[in-house]
Amino acid sequence: ETTNVASAPKSVTVTNTGTAALPITSITLSTTGSQPFSQTNNCGSSVAAGANCTINVVFNPASVGSATATLSVNAGSGAGTQTVALSGTGIAVTYTALPSSLAFGNEVTNVASAPKSVTVTNTGTVALPITSITLSTTGSQPFSQTNTCDISVAVGASCTISVVFDPASVGPASATLSVNAGSGAGTQTVALSGTGIAATYTALPTSLAFGNEVTNVASAPKSVTVTNTGNLALPITSITLSTTGSQPFSQTNTCGTSVAVGASCTISVVFNPASVGSATATLSVNAGNGAGTQTVALSGTGIATLPVTTVSSSKSGGGALDAISLLSLLAMMGLQQRRQFNARTRVTERRSRRL
């Protein structure tokens, strides 16, 4: 019989074969060790002539191994004692859950690991009842399990528990996987451990100031350097530009889809304002493997060019002159007109003297 599981009752019949009532003084059980047997009966204190009563005996072993006892029916009026030899063997459901620990090592946050397996094997001689399979941890639960064990594992058979580690945060994590079995088989535990890691990187400088730039003329590019400072490849999911108005900034980069450990890539940003006034935008470097987003503040001011004036010169045959040349030309024209005026004045004065 399985330990700590009561057997079906077995019966002993006491029959009064005499012509007078049979006094029952006691019905007792004796054994050399702990008592794995128990009895109930309907004999009362007396059994009438020709009648009988029944004693039901149950075997419920507390430990593995053979057990014996003696059932004694003690009767009065000189009838004496009748004995019944009792025997049984306690057996236990036995099983293993191996390995006794699973170490997942480093796993990227929010990325599920490949599953690791625990094998539950019934090493006993009776079916193994599975009452529950549970996970316990002191914090949030980064481990999960699925299994093929159902409610029972046949003698000599096995089932599999698959455990996955999916850390939500950086740092070490541990938990206990418990396999709880019935029929006295108890609980087997498996220690679980793993460490959540994330990609780390820098995007420097954190701001680019382009200053004054002539409208519709592209600036010289300014650079942002993205450096993988972690211990795993840095996935680049996107590099974007955002602004509240029209987009005066543009970018090209050498980052590709991933930056190797210890490596860098370059983002080149150009400012080409379409209108006069200040402009701002945010350059966002978006990385995977838990690395998140780094931002760079962009700023610049669009300014207009100096006006260009076109004049025609009768002496040179015409041409385009800038503002400075125009001023010089006007000054020369003014000087020439003054000389002509002075010459006419002198002529008039000479004619007046002759008259």
Side-chain angles (χ1 to χ4, degrees):
E1 289 293 336
T2 302
T3 54
N4 301 305
V5 177
S7 69
K10 290 184 177 291
S11 298
V12 173
T13 302
V14 177
T15 303
N16 183 350
T17 57
T19 56
L22 176 67
I24 302 298
T25 57
S26 66
I27 298 173
T28 60
L29 286 164
S30 65
T31 184
T32 55
S34 60
Q35 184 52 267
F37 300 95
S38 61
Q39 65 84 21
T40 59
N41 66 82
N42 60 4
C43 295
S45 60
S46 178
V47 179
N52 58 57
C53 65
T54 302
I55 305 170
N56 290 315
V57 181
V58 170
F59 178 46
N60 187 355
S63 58
V64 173
S66 61
T68 59
T70 300
L71 172 70
S72 298
V73 181
N74 306 296
S77 299
T81 298
Q82 297 271 4
T83 61
V84 178
L86 309 177
S87 66
T89 301
I91 59 173
V93 179
T94 58
Y95 72 106
T96 59
L98 296 172
S100 58
S101 65
L102 295 178
F104 286 84
N106 293 335
E107 290 291 338
V108 176
T109 54
N110 301 305
V111 177
S113 71
K116 290 182 179 288
S117 297
V118 173
T119 301
V120 177
T121 303
N122 183 348
T123 57
T125 56
V126 292
L128 173 70
I130 301 296
T131 57
S132 65
I133 297 174
T134 60
L135 285 164
S136 65
T137 183
T138 55
S140 59
Q141 183 53 265
F143 300 93
S144 61
Q145 66 85 18
T146 57
N147 67 80
T148 63
C149 296
D150 203 6
I151 60 173
S152 179
V153 180
V155 175
S158 298
C159 64
T160 301
I161 305 170
S162 296
V163 183
V164 170
F165 178 46
D166 187 359
S169 58
V170 172
S174 60
T176 300
L177 173 72
S178 297
V179 182
N180 307 297
S183 297
T187 298
Q188 300 268 7
T189 60
V190 178
L192 309 178
S193 63
T195 301
I197 59 174
T200 59
Y201 71 107
T202 59
L204 296 172
T206 58
S207 64
L208 294 178
F210 285 85
N212 293 334
E213 290 292 339
V214 175
T215 55
N216 300 308
V217 177
S219 71
K222 290 183 180 287
S223 297
V224 173
T225 301
V226 177
T227 303
N228 183 348
T229 57
N231 53 13
L232 68 159
L234 175 70
I236 302 296
T237 56
S238 66
I239 297 173
T240 60
L241 285 164
S242 65
T243 184
T244 55
S246 60
Q247 183 54 267
F249 301 93
S250 61
Q251 66 85 17
T252 57
N253 66 80
T254 63
C255 296
T257 59
S258 180
V259 180
V261 174
S264 298
C265 64
T266 301
I267 305 170
S268 296
V269 183
V270 170
F271 178 45
N272 187 356
S275 58
V276 172
S278 61
T280 60
T282 300
L283 173 72
S284 297
V285 182
N286 306 296
N289 283 353
T293 298
Q294 300 267 5
T295 60
V296 178
L298 309 178
S299 63
T301 301
I303 61 173
T305 59
L306 290 172
V308 176
T309 304
T310 301
V311 298
S312 178
S313 171
S314 59
K315 293 184 177 180
S316 62
L321 301 176
D322 61 21
I324 296 175
S325 299
L326 177 61
L327 292 174
S328 299
L329 177 60
L330 292 174
M332 291 175 64
M333 291 174 65
L335 179 61
Q336 184 178 6
Q337 289 176 350
R338 180 173 291 277
R339 287 175 177 174
Q340 291 174 349
F341 175 79
N342 290 337
R344 286 195 298 271
T345 302
R346 287 194 295 272
V347 169
T348 301
E349 288 177 347
R350 286 196 296 271
R351 287 178 178 175
S352 296
R353 285 195 296 268
R354 288 176 183 174
L355 294 173

